[in-house]
Amino acid sequence: MSSPASSWPSAPPAVAPRDPQARGRLTALVLALVLLWPVLQLAEFNPAALFQPGNLSVMGGFLAGFLPPSTDPVFLALLGRATLETLAMATAGMAIAFVIAAPLGLLMSRALSVSRLGPGAMRWRGSLLRTAARTLLMVLRAVPEVVWALLFVRALGLGPAAGVLALAITYGGMLGKVYAEILESTDARPARALLEAGSGRLAALGYGLLPGAAQELGSYTVYRWECAVRASVVMGFVGAGGLGQLMDQSMKMLNGGEASSILLTFLLLVFVADGLSALLRRLLS
């Protein structure tokens, strides 16, 4: 005997709510793939070539030559000296880059613009100065650091001085641009209120913008220092000294053990930079 409830109409199945943005996202994905395909073809990107048997054996033999890392005392002494030279090159280059970037970044930032508070003539002059600062920063970072290093190696000779100048110019342009963008993305109302009350730019920066932007500015500066350490490798290949020059000599001598010791040193430097960035962010918070 069937129960009375079995004769009731069953409830309609639950329908999952549809994402109203799904069609737009799918269209954007298809459009991105269509635009990306000619770029991949132009770059001759073919990952399947990595897994062909001949290429795998060549890569395996090359990597096997890196083991074990060299522990020869004479080489370790050279490695220690090159490491200090690389750190000095990256730190000195970043210090000079900061001297270039800080005033240009502050001049370029609209968040600290006094001319925007004034009448039309002042606005025009302020806009002209910001455009000049933006153009100068663009020129500084447009030329790769390895090109600057080649130029300075010819002028100053082999050694880390060429790398310091190359890093200072290129990274000065990068830091100035990003500093200005970070300051403009921060809540500018406190700084604006200080400027309208007659405060100077440095006071508006210190009390209005830095409390909200110090973490991001510090983290990006340390990240750039890490990039400068890595960039010193490339510049070492053109004669700017440091770990890059030592790596160049080891690779030319087909000494994989020395190359792996240098790579392990780079890995250690990246760990140190990452820990320093985390510590700096905690201190600034």
Side-chain angles (χ1 to χ4, degrees):
M1 182 178 177
S2 61
S3 63
S6 62
S7 61
W8 294 356
S10 58
V15 179
R18 297 186 59 184
D19 183 0
Q21 302 294 329
R23 182 173 298 178
R25 291 181 182 135
L26 181 61
T27 304
L29 178 62
V30 172
L31 184 61
L33 290 176
V34 169
L35 294 176
L36 185 61
W37 179 251
V39 177
L40 293 176
Q41 293 298 311
L42 187 63
E44 301 181 359
F45 180 69
N46 182 19
L50 292 175
F51 301 99
Q52 293 176 358
N55 292 338
L56 285 177
S57 63
V58 170
M59 287 191 295
F62 180 75
L63 292 177
F66 280 58
L67 298 175
S70 175
T71 55
D72 179 64
V74 176
F75 172 73
L76 291 181
L78 289 175
L79 182 60
R81 178 180 175 81
T83 303
L84 292 177
E85 202 171 76
T86 296
L87 290 175
M89 187 194 314
T91 306
M94 281 295 297
I96 301 175
F98 181 81
V99 172
I100 296 172
L104 289 175
L106 295 181
L107 181 62
M108 180 177 149
S109 174
R110 288 175 297 182
L112 293 172
S113 173
V114 179
S115 63
R116 298 184 71 192
L117 305 175
M122 290 186 64
R123 281 175 175 264
W124 181 81
R125 293 173 188 166
S127 177
L128 187 62
L129 282 176
R130 285 194 295 275
T131 302
R134 185 179 295 108
T135 304
L136 178 57
L137 289 174
M138 185 174 62
V139 171
L140 292 180
R141 68 176 184 275
V143 181
E145 58 265 30
V146 67
V147 177
W148 287 115
L150 279 170
L151 175 66
F152 290 125
V153 162
R154 292 181 184 278
L156 304 175
L158 299 176
V164 170
L165 290 175
L167 285 174
I169 292 176
T170 307
Y171 282 43
M174 294 179 185
L175 286 176
K177 177 180 183 295
V178 178
Y179 283 171
E181 291 180 352
I182 291 175
L183 293 178
E184 288 185 357
S185 64
T186 307
D187 184 8
R189 285 175 295 182
R192 181 64 56 191
L194 288 170
L195 291 174
E196 289 176 349
S199 168
R201 290 185 184 183
L202 291 180
L205 171 69
Y207 295 103
L209 290 181
L210 281 186
Q215 268 190 306
E216 196 171 355
L217 289 171
S219 179
Y220 181 76
T221 304
V222 175
Y223 170 70
R224 268 294 143 201
W225 176 77
E226 178 189 326
C227 293
V229 172
R230 287 199 298 266
S232 66
V233 181
V234 180
M235 290 186 290
F237 280 86
V238 297
L243 286 171
Q245 193 164 345
L246 193 60
M247 172 71 89
D248 183 38
Q249 295 170 2
S250 298
M251 296 299 288
K252 286 179 178 174
M253 298 294 291
L254 301 178
N255 196 326
E258 291 182 0
S260 63
S261 295
I262 297 171
L263 291 177
L264 288 175
T265 304
F266 271 114
L267 185 64
L268 179 63
L269 291 177
V270 172
F271 276 135
V272 170
D274 192 61
L276 183 61
S277 176
L279 176 64
L280 189 61
R281 288 178 67 87
R282 280 200 300 271
L283 291 175
L284 293 175
S285 65

